[in-house]
Amino acid sequence: MDFTDQRLSYEKGELDQQSVPASPFELFKGWMDEALAQKVQEPYAMSLATCGVDNKPSVRIVLLREITDTGIVFYTNYESAKGQDIAENPNAEVLFFWHELERQIRISGPIAKIDADKSASYFQKRPHDSQVGAWVSQPQSGEVANREVMEQTFEQLQEKHPTNTTVPTPAFWGGYEITVEKVEFWQGRANRMHDRIIYTQSGGDDSKGHEGNTGWTTKRLLP
Ligand SMILES: Cc1cc2nc3c(=O)[nH]c(=O)nc-3n(C[C@H](O)[C@H](O)[C@H](O)COP(=O)(O)O)c2cc1C
């Protein structure tokens, strides 16, 4: 297959360094609101890149579950392949691509487990069958002989924890928060002249002269 003649001209928006908000959280939430309003399918699905001590990057989709004051949170199995990577190297990057808006967002920073209490409270809000599914998939990313083995385990656990009974929160399951250190917003433009604005944390006033210490510096990057 050859895609070399496939080209789209991106013309839906623009990003101006002088008028972006002082905080990347504000812009991220604004873009997320627009994606939801424009019915982008699961705009909170993000590609998560990790890299363990083998220096081989791995990437997979996870669902963003919360934007906090300091970072972004998703939930997973701590003993999965990604959990192993994070234990070895607690740095991560996530990527959102919203084709409908011709936008890409990259967020990176240190990553750490969230409080077990907060994970438990989220786990208990999940549908019963998803809770059971989390117990089946242990260790997530481990090999299983066939689908029947998974289904049998699911049924056994359903019997052990019937609907309307509490499924205990697995100790091996919970949230991670990536503390936002760097965010890049990419808006597609015509003629490959795309807009890229990157926010990094700064000690003092930001480069646009916002008053006081906003904590963030912006730069325009070549596309
Ligand atoms: C749309 C979508 C959403 C997903 N959401 C999650 C999630 O929130 N947490 C999770 O652990 N895996 C999620 N997955 C599955 C992961 O992509 C991946 O298969 C799994 O976490 C195992 O990854 P690992 O072996 O690299 O640890 C999702 C997959 C898709 C396609």
Side-chain angles (χ1 to χ4, degrees):
M1 292 173 92
D2 180 345
F3 306 106
T4 48
D5 287 338
Q6 302 289 330
R7 268 168 239 280
L8 288 180
S9 184
Y10 299 130
E11 297 174 3
K12 289 191 179 157
E14 49 188 72
L15 253 185
D16 177 12
Q17 194 184 2
Q18 303 316 312
S19 57
V20 292
S23 159
F25 284 89
E26 203 181 319
L27 188 53
F28 180 41
K29 288 182 200 168
W31 276 25
M32 184 62 83
D33 282 341
E34 281 178 56
L36 288 163
Q38 301 213 16
K39 307 270 187 271
V40 172
Q41 285 278 316
E42 296 198 300
Y44 36 80
M46 54 190 189
S47 302
L48 164 74
T50 57
C51 188
V53 287
D54 63 1
N55 279 340
K56 295 181 178 172
S58 294
V59 66
R60 79 292 281 161
I61 301 273
V62 293
L63 296 180
L64 169 64
R65 284 307 186 204
E66 189 186 354
I67 304 171
T68 68
D69 290 343
T70 47
I72 56 175
V73 175
F74 65 91
Y75 291 86
T76 192
N77 183 308
Y78 289 142
E79 295 175 14
S80 61
K82 72 182 90 49
Q84 294 289 336
D85 276 0
I86 293 164
E88 292 167 9
N89 173 8
N91 293 289
E93 178 159 278
V94 296
L95 172 80
F96 298 85
F97 171 53
W98 301 327
H99 182 257
E100 297 87 333
L101 303 180
E102 300 172 348
R103 284 176 175 168
Q104 165 179 254
I105 306 173
R106 296 165 69 166
I107 302 178
S108 59
I111 181 166
K113 290 179 186 173
I114 64 169
D115 281 351
D117 287 353
K118 184 170 169 176
S119 291
S121 118
Y122 173 68
F123 185 83
Q124 292 305 326
K125 282 193 225 144
R126 301 177 89 210
H128 184 269
D129 288 357
S130 304
Q131 294 176 341
V132 172
W135 278 99
V136 174
S137 188
Q138 171 58 8
Q140 186 184 40
S141 320
E143 184 180 356
V144 62
N146 53 49
R147 188 164 178 97
E148 286 66 44
V149 172
M150 282 163 52
E151 284 172 358
Q152 274 169 15
T153 315
F154 188 83
E155 277 166 29
Q156 284 162 6
L157 286 164
Q158 286 280 31
E159 279 166 28
K160 192 171 166 197
H161 305 291
T163 313
N164 299 326
T165 64
T166 302
V167 180
T169 307
F172 54 77
W173 188 96
Y176 282 107
E177 177 166 355
I178 300 175
T179 301
V180 176
E181 219 170 54
K182 195 164 84 176
V183 189
E184 182 198 318
F185 295 88
W186 184 100
Q187 176 74 59
R189 301 289 303 270
N191 306 320
R192 221 198 145 279
M193 296 282 285
H194 314 302
D195 286 330
R196 297 178 69 189
I197 302 292
I198 191 163
Y199 287 77
T200 46
Q201 285 188 323
S202 59
D205 288 356
D206 79 13
S207 60
K208 295 185 305 164
H210 283 106
E211 279 184 26
N213 179 6
T214 66
W216 296 98
T217 300
T218 60
K219 285 191 185 107
R220 173 178 286 275
L221 302 183
L222 285 165

